[in-house]
Amino acid sequence: MKKAVILIIHTEINYCNMFIQQLIKDGTTDVFVHVNANVNELKEKIIKSDCVHIVKNNVIIDWGSPGLMQAIIESWKEVMNYGAFDYIITCSGQDILLREGLDDFLLNHPREIFIDAYEDDKNRRVLLLNNWPKFYFRRIDCKFNPVRIMRRLRIEILKAGFSFGKRKISYDVNKIVFYKNYFWSVIPAEVIQWILDYLKEYPEYWDVFNGAVPEEGFIATTIMLSPYKEWIKYDNGISHSLTFIKPFYNNHPQLLLAEDIKAAETSGLFFGRKIDPVKSFQFINYFYDKQADK
């Protein structure tokens, strides 16, 4: 079993190095670190190891823009060009490894794709197929922020069927059913290779996702066009990743804290999200120390 973990980071390099140490401990994992091009200086602070690689073609990542999906695709390319892997795992610098034994789990679950996804055709069409002014591409946590209110109003108007600002796309979007997914995932490498080959054969397909928050639609939507669609196992219309997450609040996963240790430990999942190095320090120390003692 050979795994590649893509780690998308933009800050908190000291904690990221702890996470990297967790990941490479099993001896079957290479880590490919994509550093947001806005903070290239972080590259020099990443721990040095033969199995830790810095993604060379890194890009700027801004919330809501195609940047995150472009970062993932560029990272996929570098992983596939580097060598042969069985699985490609995508995480962020705010994740943590909860337990060992991932290799055995994956060997016992062949031909499966682990991603949090569900059909979301109407919403994705609104976000992806219409022009969006750049000032909407901002992470805004305040529910009463005028830009956030305007963005939500624009979405509801478009969903109601009032068409304006439609993008011209040469790819036939009528043959697509759009899904929503979160980017953290564990995917067989042959599936990733199929996606990259599809993008090469149909370059106009990427333009479909040159809209708002494309990383929340690209992966699952594309796999559902592929011969591997049955590898995503849906349970009542929802598929699941191997990442433990508390219920979302204000469209973001809540931080994992000391009181979440038991739930995370008994979940049977392998990764945890979302970590803050200060607020989550007890959670981090519990799982880091537990694995370091073995």
Side-chain angles (χ1 to χ4, degrees):
M1 176 66 66
K2 190 67 175 171
K3 309 182 299 300
V5 174
I6 295 168
L7 191 56
I8 310 291
I9 70 170
H10 66 277
T11 187
E12 302 297 353
I13 195 63
N14 290 332
Y15 171 71
C16 290
N17 283 332
M18 291 178 64
F19 185 33
I20 291 171
Q21 289 174 327
Q22 281 188 305
L23 292 169
I24 64 177
K25 183 182 176 183
D26 62 11
T28 62
T29 301
D30 278 46
V31 176
F32 293 77
V33 184
H34 180 284
V35 176
N36 191 329
N38 279 328
V39 285
N40 270 326
E41 63 273 12
L42 294 182
K43 290 181 179 181
E44 300 302 319
K45 300 179 181 180
I46 296 167
I47 61 172
K48 304 298 187 290
S49 169
D50 290 342
C51 49
V52 177
H53 319 278
I54 309 300
V55 174
K56 297 179 178 64
N57 195 20
N58 60 319
V59 301
I60 293 174
I61 301 174
D62 293 317
W63 186 92
S65 76
L68 178 52
M69 197 59 243
Q70 290 171 340
I72 293 171
I73 290 172
E74 292 303 325
S75 300
W76 283 349
K77 290 178 181 177
E78 293 198 23
V79 168
M80 300 305 291
N81 288 334
Y82 181 83
F85 294 94
D86 298 295
Y87 282 86
I88 297 179
I89 301 166
T90 305
C91 298
S92 81
Q94 291 183 288
D95 294 1
I96 187 172
L97 188 65
L98 299 177
R99 70 185 69 251
E100 297 175 340
L102 181 56
D103 285 10
D104 289 339
F105 176 87
L106 294 175
L107 286 170
N108 290 323
H109 293 80
R111 296 187 175 185
E112 287 194 39
I113 295 167
F114 300 95
I115 188 169
D116 291 318
Y118 55 90
E119 187 178 324
D120 190 39
D121 193 66
K122 195 169 186 178
N123 282 330
R124 293 303 112 191
R125 286 181 180 275
V126 165
L127 291 166
L128 293 169
L129 306 184
N130 294 279
N131 286 308
W132 287 85
K134 288 186 177 180
F135 69 86
Y136 283 123
F137 290 171
R138 293 165 48 196
R139 172 177 168 171
I140 303 171
D141 290 331
C142 176
K143 294 181 179 180
F144 303 106
N145 181 283
V147 174
R148 180 166 174 172
I149 293 172
M150 290 168 57
R151 186 167 62 201
R152 173 47 56 188
L153 181 61
R154 185 185 181 97
I155 290 171
E156 294 303 322
I157 291 173
L158 289 169
K159 283 170 62 177
F162 294 91
S163 180
F164 58 89
K166 205 80 170 176
R167 294 197 299 118
K168 292 182 179 179
I169 300 170
S170 57
Y171 190 92
D172 183 7
V173 296
N174 292 318
K175 68 180 183 181
I176 302 176
V177 176
F178 288 94
Y179 284 72
K180 179 171 181 175
N181 63 251
Y182 296 103
F183 71 87
W184 45 89
S185 55
V186 179
I187 302 176
E190 63 184 285
V191 180
I192 300 299
Q193 186 61 63
W194 185 91
I195 295 173
L196 294 176
D197 290 342
Y198 194 79
L199 288 173
K200 188 174 182 179
E201 185 175 358
Y202 303 101
E204 67 274 16
Y205 178 71
W206 170 245
D207 190 44
V208 175
F209 295 88
N210 197 23
V213 286
E215 80 281 356
E216 290 190 355
F218 178 84
I219 300 175
T221 299
T222 307
I223 292 173
M224 293 304 293
L225 294 173
S226 80
Y228 301 97
K229 63 182 180 180
E230 300 298 330
W231 291 19
I232 303 183
K233 310 298 183 184
Y234 291 99
D235 180 10
N236 292 321
I238 300 173
S239 67
H240 299 286
S241 69
L242 298 180
T243 300
F244 175 80
I245 303 172
K246 290 169 66 175
F248 278 54
Y249 175 76
N250 203 14
N251 295 324
H252 303 294
Q254 296 182 64
L255 291 177
L256 297 175
L257 306 174
E259 58 263 31
D260 303 310
I261 289 173
K262 183 177 180 180
E265 190 166 36
T266 58
S267 68
L269 300 173
F270 288 89
F271 301 95
R273 176 176 178 84
K274 180 177 182 181
I275 294 297
D276 178 274
V278 176
K279 296 178 181 178
S280 307
F281 77 96
Q282 289 177 290
F283 189 97
I284 294 168
N285 289 343
Y286 177 84
F287 287 101
Y288 190 83
D289 292 345
K290 182 178 179 180
Q291 294 165 47
D293 290 340
K294 293 183 177 181

